[in-house]
Amino acid sequence: MSQRRKKNSSDGETKPRTSFVNKFFRSSKLRPTKAESRKKSNDLEAADFQPSDDAQKTENILDTAKPLTSEMELGSRMEKNEQFLQKLGRKAVNKCLDLNNCGLTTADVREVVALLPLLPDLEKLDISWNDLIGGTLHSVTQQMHLVSKLKILRLGSCRLTTDDVRALGEALEAIPELEELNLSWNSKVGGNLPLILQKFQEGSKIQTLELVDCDLTSEDGAFVGQLLPMMQNLEVLDLSINRNIGGSLHSIAQGLKSTSNLKVLKLHSCGLSQKSVRILDAAFRYLCELRKLDLSCNKELGGGFEDASAQLAMLEHLEVLDLHQCSLTVDDVMSLTQVIPLLSSLQELDLSANKKMGGSSENLLSRLRFLPALKSLLINNCALQSETFTALAEASAHLPALEVFDLSWNKCIGGNLKLLLETLKFSESLQVLRLSSCSLVTEDVAVLASLIQTGHLAKLRKLILSYNDSICDTGWAIFCQNMWFLKELTELDISLRPSTSRDCGQWFRHLLCAVTTLPKITEIGMKRWILPATQEEELERFHQDHRCGIHFDLGEFQEADFPRLN
């Protein structure tokens, strides 16, 4: 990168290079204090950026983290830091240092430490998904006082050690402006959470706290409950995949009553039980701003909604409700039938993998028509029966905003897809339609092709028809001949089941012809379809003639990647 040096006409000294780091951290330029500006010396004072006494004793800190003594030294150091960022393939952005998933080593951590004195206005530091830095975090935390304006700190999946956790707890006091803390996927956080968060004071500015899969203990959960009243600015709380905190939910729910600004609550796979619904329900009345609620993958939750969901209906701003794989019972479904239709702001609803609702959800699915803002509806693997599928099909006609619709693994759809398509033809928003393993037959794809031919489903981007092995070659030919109408399509999956394989029929030629007219398609799933030699040649000619970036995924049998030319 071209760099220029300009001479100072008055003193003849050389100014530091305009480095890459300096360019992107314009607001973090080193500025002299008023006292320093009165000095005649041109030496750059850096007392504000000096590490603490303890930091100077730490041999892991690079010498470059020491105070800057001249502009020449500053320029040299910034050039080294620029080379460091270029090595990682990252660019510094104003007030942001993002080294997420860079494969950082211990030596790289030292380089990060050397950067911090140059970035007093840094607001975001992300070193997540760097597994090799565990045990070295103390060298970073000892310099936290140099970036006291930090608002976002992300340390997810860094294999933090107990010493790292302890050092982090001591350092958080030096960054009072912190608004987001992510420690997810660090198992040593579990059992040590008080060491990290004990210095949080009442009136903390923390808005986002993410502790996913941290092996939190029941005691950690109780501590979170005690801490929540001090975090009245909290908007996002994610405690997912901590299966031992279910026993301390009472304490957490009590603390939630003080977080009236909370917008996102995620308790995915937290070992919740039937009693948990009642405990949480008592807290919902205080969470008037809640937008997203995730209680998914708590298999013992089933039966808890029977008579403890009244306050859920009070969440008038709720936009996302995820209850997939919660073992919902018939009585749960009856209770939710009274609640879910009242959530008029709901945009995403996931009831997937609750097989007991298959024959008892007719009223619930019928009343989804009262959710006109619904954009995503996931009801895959719910063992729907004919009556419930019919009710859902009729309700879908009243969902004009629907963009994502997943009905996969519901076998009753086979031979009955026409019921759904008759209503979906009025949809002008649908972008994703998943019908994997629905026992579809040739007649179903023929009806789908007819609907596409008439210009409906024009905004469809992803169409998943995999694992429907009963569709014959004639059906695939009819579909492929009409596929070219889907101009927005980016992904199509027609893979066969893992236990089967078949030779491609003549319809493959129609597929290639259609693909040439689809400007946005990039992925075609065809796992376990076998191309005879003649069709392999057609595919190669297609590649040579069209040079389009399309991945034909043929699984373990064959595979073709074609690079897209700009």
Side-chain angles (χ1 to χ4, degrees):
M1 183 173 67
S2 97
Q3 295 175 330
R4 299 179 180 177
R5 292 180 181 236
K6 294 184 180 180
K7 269 198 168 183
N8 188 310
S9 59
S10 61
D11 55 44
E13 291 192 3
T14 302
K15 290 186 177 181
R17 296 181 181 181
T18 305
S19 78
F20 187 84
V21 175
N22 196 31
K23 175 182 176 182
F24 284 92
F25 287 87
R26 292 185 179 91
S27 64
S28 297
K29 291 179 181 177
L30 297 173
R31 300 183 180 89
T33 64
K34 291 182 179 179
E36 292 168 333
S37 66
R38 290 194 294 268
K39 292 186 179 181
K40 295 181 180 180
S41 171
N42 288 321
D43 290 345
L44 179 63
E45 298 290 334
D48 289 341
F49 307 137
Q50 291 182 6
S52 64
D53 293 339
D54 291 338
Q56 291 177 343
K57 295 177 183 178
T58 304
E59 59 185 8
N60 286 336
I61 305 298
L62 285 187
D63 289 340
T64 50
K66 293 179 180 178
L68 307 176
T69 58
S70 69
E71 293 186 6
M72 183 75 73
E73 181 181 349
L74 171 62
S76 174
R77 187 179 310 173
M78 295 186 79
E79 183 175 358
K80 290 180 181 178
N81 292 333
E82 174 189 334
Q83 293 171 352
F84 168 63
L85 291 175
Q86 289 177 338
K87 179 187 74 172
L88 297 175
R90 293 301 171 96
K91 295 182 179 181
V93 180
N94 193 29
K95 299 185 180 182
C96 170
L97 183 58
D98 186 352
L99 301 176
N100 170 40
N101 196 23
C102 282
L104 295 181
T105 63
T106 301
D108 292 330
V109 173
R110 296 171 184 166
E111 297 280 0
V112 173
V113 172
L115 275 172
L116 295 183
L118 305 176
L119 310 175
D121 291 331
L122 188 68
E123 294 184 356
K124 176 181 176 181
L125 176 60
D126 187 349
I127 52 178
S128 299
W129 299 99
N130 289 288
D131 292 345
L132 300 180
I133 70 174
T136 68
L137 189 65
H138 61 285
S139 63
V140 177
T141 58
Q142 287 174 343
Q143 306 300 306
M144 281 297 184
H145 63 286
L146 303 179
V147 287
S148 59
K149 298 180 181 179
L150 200 66
K151 294 182 178 180
I152 299 174
L153 180 58
R154 295 175 181 167
L155 299 169
S157 192
C158 288
R159 293 191 179 179
L160 300 183
T161 65
T162 302
D163 288 340
D164 290 331
V165 168
R166 183 179 292 107
L168 177 61
E170 295 172 354
L172 289 182
E173 196 172 18
I175 43 178
E177 303 297 318
L178 194 65
E179 296 178 356
E180 177 181 332
L181 179 61
N182 188 337
L183 301 176
S184 298
W185 298 290
N186 287 292
S187 60
K188 293 300 182 181
V189 171
N192 295 304
L193 193 62
L195 294 178
I196 305 174
L197 305 181
Q198 62 185 349
K199 293 188 178 181
F200 275 8
Q201 302 295 322
E202 187 170 356
S204 165
K205 295 184 179 181
I206 284 287
Q207 297 179 10
T208 298
L209 181 60
E210 295 179 285
L211 300 170
V212 179
D213 197 9
C214 284
D215 201 16
L216 298 184
T217 64
S218 181
E219 291 75 14
D220 289 328
F223 175 75
V224 170
Q226 297 168 11
L227 188 67
L228 287 174
M230 301 182 187
M231 305 168 66
Q232 296 183 3
N233 293 306
L234 193 66
E235 294 184 359
V236 177
L237 178 61
D238 193 347
L239 302 175
S240 297
I241 319 181
N242 288 290
R243 296 172 180 82
N244 296 319
I245 67 172
S248 56
L249 186 64
H250 191 278
S251 176
I252 295 174
Q254 192 67 26
L256 286 173
K257 295 178 181 180
S258 301
T259 58
S260 59
N261 292 313
L262 197 68
K263 292 181 172 60
V264 177
L265 177 59
K266 295 184 178 181
L267 297 172
H268 163 91
S269 191
C270 282
L272 304 187
S273 64
Q274 290 184 357
K275 295 180 180 179
S276 301
V277 180
R278 188 185 305 277
I279 294 171
L280 287 172
D281 197 55
F284 287 153
R285 70 173 68 183
Y286 300 93
L287 304 179
C288 300
E289 298 299 320
L290 199 64
R291 265 49 173 190
K292 181 171 184 176
L293 178 61
D294 184 354
L295 302 178
S296 61
C297 294
N298 287 289
K299 296 182 179 180
E300 302 300 320
L301 208 62
F305 289 96
E306 294 180 13
D307 55 0
S309 60
Q311 298 302 321
L312 183 61
M314 305 300 291
L315 302 177
E316 58 182 14
H317 298 296
L318 195 67
E319 297 175 354
V320 179
L321 178 60
D322 191 345
L323 297 176
H324 83 265
Q325 204 170 344
C326 284
S327 300
L328 298 180
T329 66
V330 173
D331 289 332
D332 285 331
V333 172
M334 291 179 61
S335 180
L336 291 172
T337 299
Q338 307 301 318
V339 174
I340 291 179
L342 300 178
L343 303 174
S344 58
S345 298
L346 204 62
Q347 297 181 16
E348 299 180 24
L349 176 62
D350 190 348
L351 298 173
S352 300
N354 287 293
K355 294 185 177 181
K356 291 183 180 180
M357 65 176 283
S360 61
S361 57
E362 181 177 353
N363 290 333
L364 172 59
L365 298 180
S366 178
R367 297 188 69 186
L368 293 181
R369 67 184 66 209
F370 299 115
L371 302 175
L374 201 62
K375 293 182 179 180
S376 176
L377 180 56
L378 310 182
I379 311 187
N380 50 293
N381 198 20
C382 283
L384 296 184
Q385 299 180 8
S386 178
E387 296 79 6
T388 51
F389 174 64
T390 300
L392 176 60
E394 293 174 351
S396 65
H398 303 276
L399 303 176
L402 196 62
E403 297 178 358
V404 179
F405 204 179
D406 191 346
L407 290 167
S408 298
W409 302 92
N410 288 295
K411 307 299 184 183
C412 71
I413 298 177
N416 295 305
L417 186 61
K418 183 177 181 179
L419 293 174
L420 179 64
L421 296 179
E422 282 296 317
T423 58
L424 287 185
K425 69 181 181 182
F426 299 110
S427 174
E428 298 181 356
S429 303
L430 195 64
Q431 298 178 18
V432 178
L433 180 59
R434 300 181 183 273
L435 297 169
S436 178
S437 193
C438 285
S439 297
L440 300 185
V441 296
T442 299
E443 180 185 357
D444 292 322
V445 291
V447 174
L448 177 59
S450 177
L451 187 66
I452 293 172
Q453 184 182 35
T454 56
H456 299 293
L457 304 181
K459 292 187 177 181
L460 208 60
R461 294 184 179 181
K462 292 185 179 182
L463 180 57
I464 311 300
L465 301 174
S466 55
Y467 298 1
N468 288 291
D469 296 0
S470 297
I471 301 171
C472 68
D473 286 352
T474 300
W476 288 124
I478 295 172
F479 171 76
C480 292
Q481 286 173 335
N482 291 280
M483 189 178 130
W484 66 273
F485 287 96
L486 300 175
K487 299 299 183 184
E488 299 295 318
L489 198 66
T490 62
E491 179 181 343
L492 172 69
D493 195 343
I494 56 174
S495 298
L496 298 173
R497 292 179 179 277
S499 59
T500 61
S501 62
R502 275 166 56 185
D503 288 341
C504 281
Q506 293 302 311
W507 55 266
F508 183 70
R509 182 173 300 175
H510 297 303
L511 175 63
L512 291 182
C513 290
V515 165
T516 63
T517 68
L518 301 179
K520 298 184 179 181
I521 195 162
T522 59
E523 183 79 17
I524 298 180
M526 294 182 60
K527 291 180 180 178
R528 290 167 289 280
W529 285 104
I530 302 175
L531 298 182
T534 56
Q535 292 182 341
E536 283 189 18
E537 293 174 0
E538 289 183 30
L539 192 57
E540 180 60 27
R541 284 197 299 271
F542 173 85
H543 163 52
Q544 295 173 353
D545 294 343
H546 301 285
R547 300 286 182 178
C548 51
I550 302 173
H551 175 215
F552 284 80
D553 185 0
L554 300 169
E556 61 187 37
F557 295 101
Q558 298 149 311
E559 190 163 314
D561 280 296
F562 300 150
R564 185 184 294 278
L565 297 184
N566 293 328

